[in-house]
């Protein structure tokens, strides 16, 4: 459930950047609005009042009733149970292109840098460590302490964040003949979707 699926023709999206399901709610970003659909009855989703965010977010991840959204100046933390009220944001401000969470940690990629955040404080993600990787990092995913990111130059990087302060590269994989649109890690396996 990482992409919006419309089962009712009466519910549509103009140009969504991302969509994700958390519990029984589908969240979709659309031009500075975060739209919410109640999926209690999957055959007839009910649209809840949208929340105006004031910014366009390119990616989002959810954990522990918190929505972590990437923006042009960092990662914002929104409370899912309180109409997406903003709880805090990452410091210092930086460009984040994609974010992924797992347990009490998150990884965020932007430009050539992969950052590791500690989510123990639900109000403000604390940046603990970072890696500089050769290539423009795009997609990212995290499963436990195993993470992955894809660079637009055609390479994937697998990382270990067991020590949040000192993330280290497990391997670099060259996919220069493939354009990867998305990736996911599950149970120690890396899945790639692309040409």
């Amino acid at each position: 459930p990482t992409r919006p699926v419309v089962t009712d023709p009466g519910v549509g999206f103009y140009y969504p950047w991302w969509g994700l399901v958390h519990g029984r709610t589908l969240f979709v970003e659309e031009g500075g609005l975060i739209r919410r659909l109640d999926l209690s009855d999957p055959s007839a989703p009910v649209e809840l009042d949208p929340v105006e965010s004031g910014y366009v977010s390119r990616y989002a991840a959810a954990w522990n009733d918190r929505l972590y959204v990437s923006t042009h100046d960092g990662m914002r933390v929104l409370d899912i149970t309180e109409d997406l009220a903003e709880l805090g944001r990452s410091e210092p401000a930086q460009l984040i292109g994609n974010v992924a969470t797992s347990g009490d940690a998150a990884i965020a990629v932007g430009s050539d840098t992969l950052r590791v955040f500690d989510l123990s404080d639900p109000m403000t993600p604390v940046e603990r460590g970072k890696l500089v990787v050769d290539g423009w990092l795009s997609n990212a995913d995290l499963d436990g302490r195993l993470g992955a990111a894809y660079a637009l130059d055609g390479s994937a990087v697998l990382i270990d964040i067991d020590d949040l302060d000192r993330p280290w590269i497990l391997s670099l994989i060259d996919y220069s003949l493939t354009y990867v649109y998305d990736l996911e890690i599950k149970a120690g396996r890396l899945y790639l979707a692309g040409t």
Side-chain angles (χ1 to χ4, degrees), residues 94-135:
Q94 67 257 317
L95 170 68
I96 291 179
N98 201 327
V99 60
T101 60
S102 183
D104 61 352
I107 60 174
V109 295
S111 184
D112 60 353
T113 304
L114 184 146
R115 294 177 167 85
V116 181
F117 290 92
D118 187 337
L119 305 181
S120 299
D121 180 353
M123 300 293 284
T124 305
V126 177
E127 185 173 329
R128 294 277 296 270
K130 66 181 178 180
L131 282 170
V132 177
V133 181
D134 185 19

Side-chain angles (χ1 to χ4, degrees), residues 63-83:
W63 176 72
N64 199 24
D65 288 333
R66 301 288 187 262
L67 193 65
Y68 298 88
V69 296
S70 62
T71 69
H72 68 284
D73 62 352
M75 179 165 53
R76 285 177 164 85
V77 185
L78 310 179
D79 190 332
I80 291 174
T81 63
E82 294 293 335
D83 284 335

